[in-house]
Amino acid sequence: MLSTVLSAGVRGVDGFAIEVEADIAPGMPNMAVVGLADTEIKEAKERVISAVRNSGLEFPLKRITVNLSPADIKKSGTGLDLPIAVSILAASGQLNAAALDGLKNFVFVGELGLDGSLRPCAGVLPMLAVLGGRTAVVPPANAGEAALARVNAVAPKNLAELAGFLNGEINLEKIPPADFEAGTQEYFYDFSEVKSQPVAKRALEIAAAGGHNILMIGLPGTGKSMLAKRFPSILPPLTHDEALEITKIYSVSNLLGGERFLSARPFRDPHHTISDIALIGGGASPKPGEVSLSHNGILFLDEFAEFGRNVLEVLREPMETGVVSIARARERVSYPARFTLIAAMNPCPCGNHGHPHKQCTCTPVMINRYRSKISGPLLDRIDLTVNLNPVEFKDWEKKAEGETSAQIRERVIKARGAQAVRFKNSPTRANAFMSSREIKDFCPLPPGGGEVLEAAMRKLGLSARSLDKILKTARTIADLEGAENISKMHIMEVLQYRPLDRKGVADV
């Protein structure tokens, strides 16, 4: 007997429909799974056999063939355990006629335990997008994602309970839909705790207001990590669409941890020993990397120059396009990666270059080799660079606190509001991500601005990309001031945040 049930899989962060066909025929007891299944799915037959038997149901001792269609798309993950089990129950006659007729109205997703329990699997949220008006059957631990997707869904505890529901013997409560609430985010760190460093604080405010990448260079103990950890406290709250995008990525990565919505912007700070695949994503079965897990949030790379050269170079594409594309022989997947990069580094290997009281033990060759790990094309994609000076005792001793994160965040939210109006008919969400046409439309040169940029390009060797980034950043400064147009002073301020253009990476 042949049966077909519907399920779903994930490619990148998008779901696609899968038909699970089961055919039971006379012959030696055997179960084969075909249709370009990964190792995780091929192992499903052992879980399915035990789950069916331990649920008080009968597993047919015949020749069973399970086909996953479309057969030309690779399938991975454990979410196909449940539809495979249901298709076998249907083909073996353990579901009544009404249940068999109604199978087409359901989509089944979930992993099975050996005792028949339904266990969570990755990627349920994007999978539910392909339901087409059907009812989803998901594990209880994935009920939050079904509520978030606002679809008809039920969450049986085990396979026996699901069989009883399909046969009309018991009822299951539908999962109520959930609404997204941005709420007020509580932050443990605050900008008022940072002593001195007014230039760095100003640069971080600009970065937050426009989504700009920033590099902080300073001696150990000058507050680079301290400032980076407080950066999320001045960012605007997530919108519904941004939160949904992040939640999909974390769902695919199986990192939701039972949460329905990720309502806070992600802050990822991988160690400098990370591999390029872990940073960018990929692998035999492609998974999102740190750059995608930082989408709509912050990627903090401390000890920037300690990262491998090949690791840093893979950042160039997502920093420019906001997307990571991974190609394999049989598939090509894309992950969103629109993040704000905060990088921090010492001025030299020993960390004392330029210290007023400590002597640097590094030779010029060592310093050049250390800083040359960061290539020119990568630096070209960083909008703001600031040098942090040592904190003087008189500044450290002061009891008066500076501006709070809440005060800075108010200005950032106001600037982002102006950008939301500006880009209301565009997918662009912040000034840092403007296209060439949008730069032309929204960043006209002020009187005298052309001469300033021409002189900077001639003296500093700026590229066309650098000029675009200068205009984008100047537009953000104008938004912070509530100005309608960019002024010459805005452009000149931006040039103060590009010391690497002025001196070169080896002479900071």
Side-chain angles (χ1 to χ4, degrees):
M1 184 176 175
L2 176 67
S3 71
T4 302
V5 302
L6 297 178
S7 186
V10 175
R11 297 182 71 184
V13 292
D14 298 316
F16 67 97
I18 298 176
E19 287 188 355
V20 180
E21 302 173 309
D23 177 72
I24 300 179
M28 290 291 293
N30 181 51
M31 179 178 171
V33 179
V34 299
L36 212 58
D38 204 353
T39 304
E40 298 163 326
I41 299 175
K42 290 181 179 179
E43 291 177 348
K45 61 182 181 180
E46 304 299 334
R47 294 192 294 270
V48 169
I49 292 172
S50 297
V52 171
R53 289 174 175 170
N54 291 326
S55 299
L57 301 166
E58 181 183 351
F59 191 86
L61 298 177
K62 296 183 179 181
R63 184 173 181 273
I64 302 172
T65 303
V66 177
N67 180 46
L68 309 177
S69 177
D72 61 338
I73 298 178
K74 187 176 181 180
K75 293 93 178 172
S76 61
T78 58
L80 291 173
D81 289 10
L82 181 60
I84 290 173
V86 173
S87 66
I88 291 174
L89 293 179
S92 61
Q94 298 184 66
L95 300 181
N96 58 35
L100 292 174
D101 186 59
L103 279 180
K104 60 181 179 294
N105 298 319
F106 292 90
V107 172
F108 302 90
V109 176
E111 179 184 332
L112 287 174
L114 298 183
D115 59 352
S117 60
L118 268 67
R119 297 179 178 176
C121 60
V124 169
L125 181 57
M127 290 181 192
L128 299 182
V130 299
L131 288 182
R134 298 178 177 88
T135 299
V137 178
V138 300
N142 293 122
E145 295 176 66
L148 177 58
R150 305 182 68 84
V151 298
N152 290 326
V154 293
K157 297 177 182 177
N158 50 55
L159 190 59
E161 188 174 87
L162 174 59
F165 169 72
L166 294 174
N167 283 327
E169 298 168 359
I170 62 174
N171 290 322
L172 293 176
E173 292 185 5
K174 290 186 176 181
I175 300 172
D179 293 319
F180 168 70
E181 295 181 3
T184 302
Q185 186 72 27
E186 295 279 342
Y187 295 101
F188 183 74
Y189 302 110
D190 195 275
F191 260 74
S192 61
E193 301 162 349
V194 181
K195 302 290 186 179
S196 188
Q197 309 301 358
V199 176
K201 290 179 183 178
R202 169 65 173 174
L204 286 169
E205 180 179 341
I206 296 170
H212 303 284
N213 301 317
I214 182 171
L215 171 62
M216 295 184 289
I217 304 174
L219 303 169
T222 51
K224 301 184 296 294
S225 298
M226 188 178 188
L227 285 163
K229 290 178 180 179
R230 283 151 181 78
F231 187 74
S233 66
I234 64 173
L235 291 174
L238 285 171
T239 65
H240 177 276
D241 290 342
E242 288 175 333
L244 187 59
E245 289 173 357
I246 298 171
T247 305
K248 280 185 176 181
I249 296 170
Y250 277 70
S251 173
V252 170
S253 304
N254 206 17
L255 295 175
L256 277 181
E259 293 187 51
R260 292 184 174 183
F261 245 127
L262 290 180
S263 56
R265 294 186 183 274
F267 181 91
R268 307 291 297 187
D269 55 344
H271 193 261
H272 63 260
T273 56
I274 191 173
S275 67
D276 52 351
I277 292 178
L279 183 65
I280 204 72
S285 296
K287 297 293 182 183
E290 290 292 331
V291 295
S292 295
L293 295 174
S294 306
H295 182 61
N296 291 330
I298 306 102
L299 178 63
F300 175 45
L301 301 184
D302 199 6
E303 304 297 343
F304 196 42
E306 297 294 343
F307 285 79
R309 179 73 179 258
N310 62 315
V311 175
L312 293 179
E313 290 306 302
V314 299
L315 286 172
R316 287 159 56 177
E317 180 188 353
M319 287 175 68
E320 190 69 21
T321 65
V323 176
V324 172
S325 296
I326 300 169
R328 293 292 181 266
R330 291 184 177 272
E331 62 180 334
R332 183 183 183 91
V333 297
S334 296
Y335 298 109
R338 184 69 76 185
F339 56 88
T340 296
L341 173 67
I342 300 181
M345 61 181 285
N346 296 327
C348 68
C350 78
N352 293 329
H353 184 69
H355 197 286
H357 307 298
K358 295 182 180 180
Q359 184 176 359
C360 176
T361 59
C362 305
T363 65
V365 173
M366 292 170 61
I367 296 175
N368 280 331
R369 185 185 301 118
Y370 175 76
R371 296 176 179 176
S372 63
K373 291 182 181 179
I374 307 168
S375 67
L378 180 59
L379 286 172
D380 209 26
R381 289 165 168 82
I382 296 176
D383 309 65
L384 303 162
T385 304
V386 290
N387 291 321
L388 278 69
N389 298 316
V391 179
E392 299 289 341
F393 180 79
K394 61 180 180 180
D395 295 322
W396 176 85
E397 188 183 30
K398 286 181 181 178
K399 295 182 179 179
E401 294 185 339
E403 278 191 306
T404 65
S405 294
Q407 292 173 310
I408 301 173
R409 186 168 61 247
E410 285 184 11
R411 296 195 294 268
V412 170
I413 292 174
K414 185 177 179 181
R416 285 289 184 110
Q419 294 166 50
V421 174
R422 180 179 303 129
F423 305 125
K424 61 182 178 180
N425 297 320
S426 165
T428 303
R429 290 178 180 167
N431 288 335
F433 314 130
M434 280 191 284
S435 65
S436 298
R437 181 178 292 275
E438 288 170 332
I439 294 174
K440 182 178 180 180
D441 293 340
F442 302 124
C443 304
L445 285 173
E451 290 80 356
V452 172
L453 287 179
E454 184 182 8
M457 189 175 189
R458 184 174 60 253
K459 293 180 180 179
L460 311 180
L462 300 179
S463 66
R465 180 189 287 117
S466 294
L467 294 180
D468 286 344
K469 287 191 173 294
I470 289 171
L471 288 177
K472 293 177 184 178
T473 311
R475 178 67 266 177
T476 299
I477 296 174
D479 290 340
L480 284 169
E481 295 181 359
E484 184 176 350
N485 295 309
I486 296 172
S487 71
K488 181 179 176 180
M489 293 303 296
H490 297 150
I491 294 175
M492 294 179 70
E493 180 179 356
V494 176
L495 291 174
Q496 299 306 306
Y497 299 123
R498 301 189 69 87
L500 298 187
D501 291 326
R502 294 201 303 273
K503 301 179 181 179
V505 70
D507 302 313
V508 176

